[in-house]
Amino acid sequence: MPSALFFLLFIWPAVEAANLSPALRADADALIQEVTATPTNAANRVERADRLWTWANAVAMTGVVLPVHLTQVITFATNDRSEGGAINKQLDDAITELAILDRTPEVLGSITITPGPFSAASYAQIAQQITVGSRSIQPGGGFLIGRHFMSDFGEWQISSPSGDNYLTIASSNPAVNFVAERVPFGGMHGGFRGTAQRIAFRVASGTLVTGDVVTITYGDQSQRSKGLLMPSIANDQMQLPIYVSFDPQGAFIALPLQTVVISGGPLQGVAAFAPSVLAAEEEFSVSVRGEDSRANRATGKMPGWRVFANGTPLTEIAAGGDAITLVDNLRLPAPGVWHIQVESLDGSIKGRGNPILVETAPTRRIYWGDTHGHSGFAEGMGSADGFMRYARDDARLDYVTHSEHDIFMDDGEWETLRQLVTKYTEERKFIPFLGYEWTVDNRFGGHHNILFRTPVDRQRLDGRRFPTLPRLHAAIRASTPMRDILAIPHAHNAGDWRLADPEITKLVEIMSMHGNFEWFGRMYLEQGHQVGFTAASDNHQSQPGYASPIGGSLSQRGGLGAVFATDKTTDAIFDALRALRTYATTGERIILDFEVNGSPMGTRAAMDRNRKLKGRVIGTAPLESVSILKNDQLLWSQSYAPTDFRRGEPTQLAISFNSSAEPINLRDNPRGYRPWAGTLDVQGATIVEGHIATNASTSLSAIKPSKDGRWTFRTASRGAGSTLILTLDEVKAGATLTLNIDGGQEFGGAPPIFRQHQALDPATLLVRLTDLKGGAVVARIPAPDYQDEISVRRLPAGGTLEANFEVEDTGVLEGDYYYVRVLQRNDAMAWSSPVWVGGRAPQ
């Protein structure tokens, strides 16, 4: 029987009340009676929220899955000092809802779903069947169809039976009829930071009684609809939430949350992962991963593969295997740089791996990790176990942290994360660290990822109890040895660089799927903090370390944090993170080394007026430039793009769009994404091909020809560039390029505090190709409070993947700092951690 017609029963907790201590059970019962008698007000709100917190966590530890919004409501109720009419009502509803889950779950009945798997971006029909429980659903009651704000299912509708994503409801009780309406709904399954309109089916006549079956069908295909468009991202637990109300006045209560499996699509590409540093003749492994068009793990029959190192055959993989193949017992014979390539046996699909630096006797290695990612435990998708498997098997990370938001997490979930770290830790193979994301408004300290060296006896110090950064630092110092803790602020909800504790805040996250935020790291350095740089994904689909953007705030590929460590062990990597032996990349495994007077990145060299700066870059694509910054000012920059054009080379143009992400008011969150969309037209030449420079698949960026002979494009930038590549033919004298930029609206990011997202005016840029002989043509494109840029340049063939640089500088100031910025021609970037000269580290 096809999986689309098979129903999987969700096992809800037993009907009996959770096994709580007599004292806690008595207090829970008293709290229920108090709320029934007297609604919550400003005077009793905090006391009731504290009692609900204790009760909810005790229930969660028995295995009951709490509603996703419950812990957030408690946190807001605890820290809200206003009269709080709305939060008071939300707290009362949360107490009522927990009472049902804990004491009388039979009133919710049972629920089933068509489980999948469904292929990403395909069309299918999914049904949820609800068997009414012990409480009837009266006229005016009914079902609200939630929609996770981060899912990209097709937008379901109720007006066109033959259209895509048609949603229907039916009942086994012939006396019951429904009426559809749209109601405002907040939280993760509504508007998240506000409300969004969600479809609700109300009982118009009749009464649903115990045993009645209600079927809700997504993508109902009975009237020629193609079905429901599945999400583009593969996931082991894609959520389809439903809420129930028993009468017209009742709040909507979450039914047991149902999920479906989304698998990858057909094979479209291939990637490979290998260690970055090896000794000559050292045995190593290469992971070959077949991918669909969105970098999901592909499904279907896999071809055979050939793996090359610098063009020399390294190994061959037989056809018919899994999408991921780990090839062991490989060796590289001699010191030097080796680049891994992969292609199918018929040559139709080609990909590459990361560069490998082979040394005679390496004293340290480069390990890759992601210290910031989410699953369905918070406002994301997917299982916590799937998160770990993806990090280890798909992304081939060396270390990872599943850093869920504390405001969404209960004690049962924290215990699950702790157990998973223990389960997946395999010294010298895969190192997960226990952690969480301390989540408060940036007025009170911003967001910080908190990592522990080991999982044993670690407790999260959440924003409910410690709602300001100084209070968090004090709690950490009172509970955790400094060598076992690490805090990493990030810029999406900007951490407060004025208040960093030098023994706790060692690294700063300067890049993620939210954007590029080098400015954020500079703010810490300008305040005198000795911090290193790292990057992470902040992925919300249980895909740490290697995933495609999903649009909205997460509109670019996530970053990676590189660490220099002596061994792939828990202690060696954690020590190296705390020692600032790190650098950040935009997801490419670029090899970067940098030192000042022999002192490596992340360290403080002795004071010397004469400074010798040395470094090495091994790119994953041709290098564009390498720059050294000193005390927030550009000291030196070198372009590595060829400047000579050979006869017979195709004419290629690189069109780069750039916008700053640094906020105008430094107490604000970063500026949002700048959209770039419109048309481009070449006169006096023919466009034969156009593509996005980055190799990271994205639904946000595209370029394609239109029927009128022009090409349309769309992309976005936030703190760095996004580049389009055009290949031209039949170029004539006087050829021109015209860019017509549509008006638009900034988008994405955490809610602005001062400067709201601004409207953008349309613009036109005309470039004569003869003007490009002298270099790039750079145009300033005005935006409210900013000057954005478009750069157009000729793009010669070739380029270098490697660069060694040596620069001399002098200085008289103690505490000068230097760091390196790398830019590749595919828009990938890397940043070293700083090196300080003289001075003293903050105490």
Side-chain angles (χ1 to χ4, degrees):
M1 179 180 295
S3 61
L5 299 178
F6 176 74
F7 291 95
L8 177 69
L9 180 64
F10 185 98
I11 305 301
W12 193 236
V15 171
E16 305 82 56
N19 185 20
L20 307 182
S21 69
L24 183 54
R25 171 59 61 204
D27 188 65
D29 290 344
L31 181 60
I32 295 169
Q33 293 174 3
E34 292 168 19
V35 168
T36 302
T38 306
T40 295
N41 54 52
N44 59 25
R45 178 174 60 243
V46 173
E47 180 260 343
R48 286 184 175 181
D50 286 342
R51 292 162 68 190
L52 177 59
W53 176 261
T54 301
W55 175 26
N57 280 299
V59 171
M61 289 296 288
T62 69
V64 173
V65 179
L66 299 182
V68 294
H69 55 270
L70 193 141
T71 53
Q72 182 184 28
V73 168
I74 296 172
T75 299
F76 288 174
T78 301
N79 295 325
D80 192 331
R81 293 297 181 262
S82 67
E83 290 299 316
I87 194 64
N88 293 342
K89 176 65 164 56
Q90 292 171 17
L91 187 67
D92 287 349
D93 289 344
I95 292 170
T96 301
E97 187 165 10
L98 184 61
I100 291 174
L101 294 180
D102 179 23
R103 301 176 61 180
T104 58
E106 69 274 10
V107 306
L108 296 176
S110 62
I111 185 168
T112 63
I113 194 169
T114 316
F118 304 101
S119 182
S122 67
Y123 285 89
Q125 177 176 295
I126 298 175
Q128 294 204 56
Q129 286 192 339
I130 304 158
T131 301
V132 177
S134 60
R135 183 173 176 181
S136 298
I137 301 174
Q138 304 295 322
F143 302 94
L144 183 143
I145 314 304
R147 179 186 175 89
H148 198 290
F149 80 107
M150 279 196 176
S151 70
D152 63 342
F153 282 104
E155 191 69 41
W156 38 78
Q157 49 89 16
I158 52 177
S159 59
S160 175
S162 62
D164 296 349
N165 313 309
Y166 186 54
L167 185 67
T168 62
I169 188 169
S171 169
S172 64
N173 187 335
V176 172
N177 293 294
F178 296 93
V179 60
E181 62 180 22
R182 293 185 181 270
V183 298
F185 197 64
M188 292 178 212
H189 302 151
F192 190 53
R193 293 190 175 99
T195 60
Q197 296 296 310
R198 291 291 179 252
I199 295 171
F201 292 107
R202 300 276 190 181
V203 175
S205 60
T207 299
L208 288 167
V209 298
T210 302
D212 285 348
V213 176
V214 175
T215 301
I216 295 169
T217 304
Y218 304 76
D220 190 326
Q221 297 171 332
S222 63
Q223 299 185 65
R224 300 189 307 279
S225 169
K226 286 190 297 185
L228 174 66
L229 178 62
M230 294 296 112
S232 61
I233 303 298
N235 197 280
D236 68 341
Q237 288 187 358
M238 190 65 72
Q239 300 176 13
L240 283 168
I242 295 179
Y243 292 73
V244 63
S245 176
F246 297 102
D247 55 61
Q249 288 75 41
F252 282 106
I253 295 172
L255 289 172
L257 181 59
Q258 303 296 285
T259 64
V260 296
V261 176
I262 306 297
S263 61
L267 179 71
Q268 297 287 326
V270 64
F273 304 90
S276 290
V277 178
L278 291 169
E281 294 294 343
E282 178 183 357
E283 286 191 358
F284 71 100
S285 302
V286 170
S287 175
V288 176
R289 183 179 187 264
E291 302 177 344
D292 70 7
S293 61
R294 293 280 285 142
N296 298 307
R297 187 193 303 194
T299 54
K301 184 178 180 181
M302 293 296 114
W305 304 104
R306 291 191 184 95
V307 183
F308 302 87
N310 288 356
T312 300
L314 189 63
T315 189
E316 189 169 303
I317 301 169
D322 295 332
I324 296 179
T325 301
L326 188 63
V327 185
D328 298 318
N329 303 317
L330 302 176
R331 298 173 186 268
L332 293 173
V337 178
W338 298 79
H339 294 272
I340 300 297
Q341 305 90 27
V342 183
E343 65 177 40
S344 58
L345 295 182
D346 64 4
S348 63
I349 298 177
K350 297 182 180 181
R352 60 179 174 82
N354 54 276
I356 302 173
L357 175 61
V358 176
E359 300 177 321
T360 302
T363 58
R364 56 181 184 164
R365 310 295 178 111
I366 297 174
Y367 299 116
W368 297 95
D370 187 347
T371 52
H372 185 184
H374 303 280
S375 74
F377 272 7
E379 80 275 39
M381 296 282 193
S383 71
D385 191 81
F387 180 101
M388 288 295 180
R389 286 185 278 108
Y390 190 94
R392 183 191 64 188
D393 301 335
D394 289 77
R396 295 298 296 174
L397 295 179
D398 299 305
Y399 66 96
V400 74
T401 299
H402 185 169
S403 56
E404 285 301 2
H405 290 282
D406 55 359
I407 61 172
F408 301 128
M409 192 162 32
D410 58 56
D411 286 354
E413 292 168 331
W414 179 248
E415 177 62 18
T416 296
L417 294 184
R418 190 189 67 77
Q419 292 176 1
L420 286 174
V421 169
T422 301
K423 171 184 174 181
Y424 280 95
T425 296
E426 192 171 0
E427 300 291 338
R428 295 188 170 84
K429 290 189 177 181
F430 181 63
I431 310 298
F433 293 109
L434 180 66
Y436 67 97
E437 185 171 356
W438 183 74
T439 308
V440 303
D441 189 287
N442 66 357
R443 294 173 298 167
F444 307 116
H447 290 200
H448 295 245
N449 291 295
I450 310 298
L451 280 63
F452 297 98
R453 180 186 297 266
T454 57
V456 179
D457 296 330
R458 306 298 187 189
Q459 296 300 316
R460 69 194 188 285
L461 306 170
D462 57 83
R464 184 190 67 87
R465 294 176 295 159
F466 308 102
T468 65
L469 194 55
R471 291 175 66 179
L472 173 67
H473 289 158
I476 289 174
R477 285 185 167 276
S479 63
T480 311
M482 291 297 95
R483 69 182 298 272
D484 293 339
I485 195 78
L486 174 65
I488 308 175
H490 73 85
H492 170 54
N493 275 276
D496 192 335
W497 49 81
R498 300 169 302 174
L499 301 175
D501 185 308
E503 291 188 277
I504 298 172
T505 305
K506 296 290 189 178
L507 301 176
V508 176
E509 180 188 302
I510 63 170
M511 184 271 162
S512 71
M513 295 180 79
H514 287 289
N516 294 291
F517 307 120
E518 181 185 333
W519 68 270
F520 183 62
R522 296 200 311 266
M523 295 308 299
Y524 277 86
L525 297 177
E526 289 177 11
Q527 291 289 322
H529 300 301
Q530 185 167 314
V531 293
F533 290 165
T534 191
S537 69
D538 200 0
N539 175 268
H540 286 63
Q541 306 283 335
S542 296
Q543 295 180 315
Y546 187 74
S548 294
I550 62 172
S553 184
L554 303 171
S555 283
Q556 66 179 37
R557 188 169 175 177
L560 287 173
V563 59
F564 285 101
T566 56
D567 202 354
K568 194 195 299 188
T569 63
T570 296
D571 284 337
I573 292 179
F574 201 82
D575 286 343
L577 291 170
R578 281 189 51 84
L580 285 57
R581 305 293 197 269
T582 63
Y583 64 93
T585 84
T586 55
E588 302 269 337
R589 301 193 183 198
I590 299 166
I591 295 175
L592 171 61
D593 204 358
F594 176 59
E595 64 179 43
V596 178
N597 288 350
S599 295
M601 65 177 76
T603 63
R604 187 174 292 266
M607 176 59 188
D608 193 327
R609 294 191 175 193
N610 299 311
R611 292 96 183 259
K612 182 174 289 187
L613 288 63
K614 295 176 61 177
R616 184 180 191 183
V617 179
I618 303 170
T620 60
L623 299 176
E624 180 69 26
S625 64
V626 175
S627 304
I628 299 176
L629 289 92
K630 175 186 179 181
N631 299 343
D632 200 28
Q633 299 296 318
L634 182 64
L635 173 69
W636 171 88
S637 186
Q638 175 68 52
S639 172
Y640 293 91
T643 56
D644 56 323
F645 294 87
R646 299 178 179 87
R647 184 179 299 276
E649 282 185 356
T651 300
Q652 284 194 318
L653 302 183
I655 307 169
S656 298
F657 303 91
N658 287 271
S659 63
S660 172
E662 184 171 349
I664 295 298
N665 185 311
L666 289 178
R667 301 314 309 152
D668 208 347
N669 282 318
R671 178 195 182 192
Y673 279 94
R674 159 110 197 203
W676 302 92
T679 61
L680 56 88
D681 181 34
V682 174
Q683 296 293 323
T686 302
I687 303 175
V688 296
E689 195 268 342
H691 65 273
I692 308 298
T694 178
N695 72 333
S697 174
T698 171
S699 60
L700 185 70
S701 299
I703 179 170
K704 61 183 179 181
S706 59
K707 294 180 180 179
D708 61 2
R710 298 181 176 185
W711 285 58
T712 62
F713 67 89
R714 54 184 170 86
T715 188
S717 58
R718 194 182 191 199
S722 180
T723 301
L724 312 180
I725 307 295
L726 296 183
T727 301
L728 306 182
D729 195 10
E730 301 176 350
V731 180
K732 298 178 177 63
T736 61
L737 167 70
T738 302
L739 286 168
N740 292 300
I741 311 297
D742 299 337
Q745 179 86 18
E746 296 168 347
F747 68 92
I753 299 172
F754 301 110
R755 179 187 180 274
Q756 302 302 305
H757 292 330
Q758 298 293 305
L760 304 167
D761 292 332
T764 299
L765 175 63
L766 173 67
V767 177
R768 295 176 177 83
L769 268 59
T770 54
D771 294 341
L772 303 179
K773 292 182 178 179
V777 171
V778 179
R780 296 292 182 93
I781 307 298
D785 306 312
Y786 292 90
Q787 288 288 323
D788 300 328
E789 286 187 353
I790 302 176
S791 170
V792 183
R793 69 189 190 279
R794 286 279 307 274
L795 195 64
T800 180
L801 294 170
E802 301 177 36
N804 292 282
F805 55 92
E806 187 170 321
V807 178
E808 293 187 355
D809 186 42
T810 59
V812 298
L813 294 180
E814 299 262 0
D816 285 340
Y817 57 85
Y818 303 82
Y819 68 91
V820 173
R821 178 201 299 141
V822 177
L823 174 63
Q824 295 187 160
R825 281 169 60 177
N826 68 347
D827 289 333
M829 299 183 72
W831 300 264
S832 77
S833 283
V835 180
W836 292 262
V837 178
R840 295 181 179 178
Q843 302 296 314

